[in-house]
Amino acid sequence: MPVFSTYDGTELAYHLVGEGEPLICLPGGPMRAARYLGDLGGLSRVRQLVLLDLRGTGESAVPEDPSTYRIDRLVDDVEALRAHLGLEQADVLGHSAAGELAALYAAKYPQRLRSLTLVTPATGTLGLPATDQDRRDAAALRAHEPWYAEARAALDEIQAGRGTPEVWAGVRPFMYGRWDAAAQAHAAESPTQRNAVAGSLHYPETGLDTTAAVAALRELPVPVLVLAGEYDGGPTPDRAAELAALFPHAEFVVQRGAGHFPWMDGPGDFTRAVAAFLDPGVSSVQAGGVRLAHRTWGNPSAPPVVLAHGRGGSSLDWTGIAEQLAARHRVYALDFRGHGLSDWPGRYSFEFFRDDLHAFLEARNLSGATVIGHSMGGVAALLLAEGHPALIGALVIEDAPLLLPLDPPRPPAERPSEELGFDWRVVPSIDAQLNHPDPGARERLGEITAPALVVGGSRSHIDQVQLEWTARQIPGGRFASVDAGHLVHADNPEAFLAALRSFGIG
């Protein structure tokens, strides 16, 4: 367990979890040992978590001066940790009460910050206090739970000023999206991990004047993620959105089904959202209520090309092609819902993927862009071009199924045992549509007005005669056969790019 000396000589401990670039993680409570953060739902697989035990908590020493427990005094402990780690600039994550601490650090040391992640952050110190009504409104969302009546009675006692330790324990179910055995065990550890004396001194009785800090945050030049839990009462998503609005470069995410500890409630959802934010090569947009991650290449002023991957893939599948196209285009490659770093909402169909593509084009103001779709992404692009002919400037369909009923139909697929980069529920959903497709998709091919190129892989399992037929149904459509399997752009990228150039893209 590494330790370092902070500004007043107090020995502070921190814990390293995972490998990669360091992410300084500040625990809430207030003044709870960092152990409760765990590996933040698997975030340690993409970043090395530097979990700081704040002074007087966990393995860190008790300071000689109790006034240094104040939140504004803890800011310099964070700066001392950054210097100790030898980081010119740090990525900092703060949870709950430490969200305020992280924000105050950002206000005081903006030049030492690379990014700021605020997870279900407290907001009162920054002038946006959670209210009793906030907590009642959030509690009402759980009225269907079997524990609700007892927990609501405890909440009423607390709001009436009768909050004993036993009563406070009674509201713990409201803090989690699922009050299961894991949540109960996590909650039960809280009293032994928290320094109650330090917590009582964390916020000064006279309050804290943060006027200058809030003004500094309004000018903060770094990216900020504010992540709220759908069921959290402190902050509610609305209150967290107000906090996000303080920052000039903020992304706001509400994790569905989550409470105050979102990595416990949905580790995959949490990790994807935070990992996408922390990756400088990834951006996200809210499109039709779904967060869609995407990557970009090329000059922002160049003609846009949007790349749509196939089932089980991601935007990374296009890296080599995107780098080539970026010489003359602004290239966007998105992760469809249920794939990569986008949201995995659990419901999938060709129509949902069509809607993702539609919403993405609108969110990024890409009307008239060239769209290149592979397989599942090609079907989504076809459906969009049929329904909104003016939205797509040019269309390339790469080895996409024609949506004729499969004969024989696909049997139920068995999920592989290894970890997947996509939601397995995509597979049975799409297989069901391939077995019994909507015939309207074939019948509307003639309504596509965009110039269209259909590219087939001569060694693919997709029927190439059907692909040629598809191209003929589209007014002015063209067909190109490439010596490749189903993944044409990966199997034979040079020939694929040559087909694009013959179509005017390159």
Side-chain angles (χ1 to χ4, degrees):
M1 175 197 62
V3 298
F4 68 100
S5 278
T6 187
Y7 68 93
D8 63 350
T10 304
E11 294 285 311
L12 302 183
Y14 61 96
H15 311 268
L16 300 176
V17 183
E19 298 181 353
E21 287 192 77
L23 173 64
I24 293 176
C25 301
L26 307 177
M31 306 307 290
R32 183 174 176 180
R35 187 167 68 250
Y36 82 93
L37 296 172
D39 69 349
L40 285 175
L43 190 61
S44 60
R45 291 195 292 270
V46 295
R47 297 297 291 266
Q48 182 181 63
L49 308 184
V50 183
L51 307 174
L52 175 63
D53 280 339
L54 299 174
R55 55 178 58 217
T57 72
E59 304 298 324
S60 288
V62 174
E64 293 183 3
D65 181 3
S67 72
T68 59
Y69 287 134
R70 276 180 36 159
I71 184 172
D72 53 333
R73 301 287 296 275
L74 296 176
V75 166
D76 288 322
D77 288 345
V78 181
E79 173 59 9
L81 175 58
R82 180 207 61 80
H84 166 76
L85 295 172
L87 301 174
E88 185 66 25
Q89 292 183 311
D91 296 310
V92 176
L93 179 150
H95 171 246
S96 191
E100 294 174 314
L101 171 58
L104 293 180
Y105 175 79
K108 186 172 183 180
Y109 295 103
Q111 74 280 8
R112 296 303 188 187
L113 192 67
R114 187 166 69 172
S115 71
L116 180 64
T117 302
L118 305 178
V119 178
T120 59
T123 55
T125 296
L126 303 176
L128 298 166
T131 67
D132 286 350
Q133 189 62 50
D134 285 345
R135 300 188 188 282
R136 288 193 293 268
D137 289 345
L141 298 175
R142 318 300 297 281
H144 62 284
E145 301 281 5
W147 46 260
Y148 173 76
E150 185 176 348
R152 179 57 192 262
L155 178 62
D156 292 342
E157 286 292 291
I158 291 169
Q159 294 192 342
R162 298 186 291 269
T164 65
E166 293 76 15
V167 169
W168 275 101
V171 298
R172 288 176 183 166
F174 286 130
M175 305 291 283
Y176 297 86
R178 294 187 309 275
W179 188 234
D180 54 15
Q184 292 171 37
H186 188 262
E189 292 178 342
S190 178
T192 62
Q193 294 172 345
R194 186 168 179 264
N195 182 333
V197 172
S200 69
L201 299 172
H202 188 67
Y203 299 108
E205 291 184 4
T206 57
L208 207 61
D209 184 0
T210 57
T211 304
V214 170
L217 294 178
R218 294 187 185 279
E219 303 295 329
L220 191 67
V222 305
V224 178
L225 172 65
V226 178
L227 189 149
E230 179 184 9
Y231 297 142
D232 196 8
T236 61
D238 286 347
R239 196 71 61 208
E242 291 179 20
L243 177 63
L246 289 179
F247 302 98
H249 307 289
E251 179 182 339
F252 176 58
V253 172
V254 177
Q255 185 173 320
R256 302 302 175 191
H260 197 61
F261 303 93
W263 64 91
M264 295 285 298
D265 300 320
D269 294 335
F270 176 81
T271 299
R272 284 186 292 273
V274 178
F277 169 74
L278 292 173
D279 188 334
V282 176
S283 301
S284 294
V285 296
Q286 290 290 332
V290 176
R291 183 186 56 81
L292 297 178
H294 61 284
R295 291 174 167 85
T296 55
W297 297 260
N299 189 323
S301 63
V305 171
V306 176
L307 305 176
H309 63 79
R311 187 173 76 176
S314 76
S315 55
L316 289 172
D317 296 350
W318 292 104
T319 300
I321 296 298
E323 289 172 348
Q324 293 294 317
L325 293 176
R328 299 181 63 182
H329 298 273
R330 176 64 163 180
V331 182
Y332 302 80
L334 79 154
D335 290 346
F336 280 113
R337 68 175 66 204
H339 294 77
L341 295 178
S342 290
D343 283 346
W344 294 14
R347 297 178 62 224
Y348 307 103
S349 68
F350 285 123
E351 290 76 17
F352 279 133
F353 297 127
R354 172 202 64 197
D355 294 344
D356 285 349
L357 183 57
H358 188 180
F360 178 77
L361 292 173
E362 291 193 335
R364 294 308 307 259
N365 195 26
L366 295 174
S367 178
T370 294
V371 175
I372 302 175
H374 170 247
S375 193
M376 179 192 81
V379 175
L382 275 173
L383 295 178
L384 182 59
E386 290 174 349
H388 299 272
L391 189 60
I392 295 175
L395 182 65
V396 178
I397 303 302
E398 176 193 349
D399 219 57
L402 182 58
L403 298 184
L404 284 168
L406 293 181
D407 186 17
R410 287 187 181 177
E414 183 175 344
R415 189 193 189 285
S417 59
E418 69 268 16
E419 185 175 352
L420 301 175
F422 68 100
D423 188 345
W424 175 254
R425 288 173 288 187
V426 171
V427 173
S429 297
I430 294 304
D431 279 354
Q433 284 195 283
L434 291 173
N435 287 337
H436 303 285
D438 175 8
R442 300 189 304 276
E443 296 166 358
R444 293 191 298 271
L445 290 171
E447 298 175 16
I448 296 175
T449 60
L453 171 68
V454 178
V455 179
S458 61
R459 294 180 275 108
S460 171
H461 67 280
I462 300 294
D463 189 325
Q464 301 298 292
V465 174
Q466 292 181 4
L467 288 181
E468 288 189 68
W469 180 87
T470 299
R472 290 196 302 271
Q473 306 314 300
I474 301 172
R478 296 166 54 182
F479 175 74
S481 179
V482 172
D483 180 20
H486 182 53
L487 275 166
V488 180
H489 68 269
D491 290 349
N492 196 341
E494 289 305 318
F496 181 74
L497 287 167
L500 294 185
R501 285 192 295 271
S502 70
F503 186 60
I505 304 170

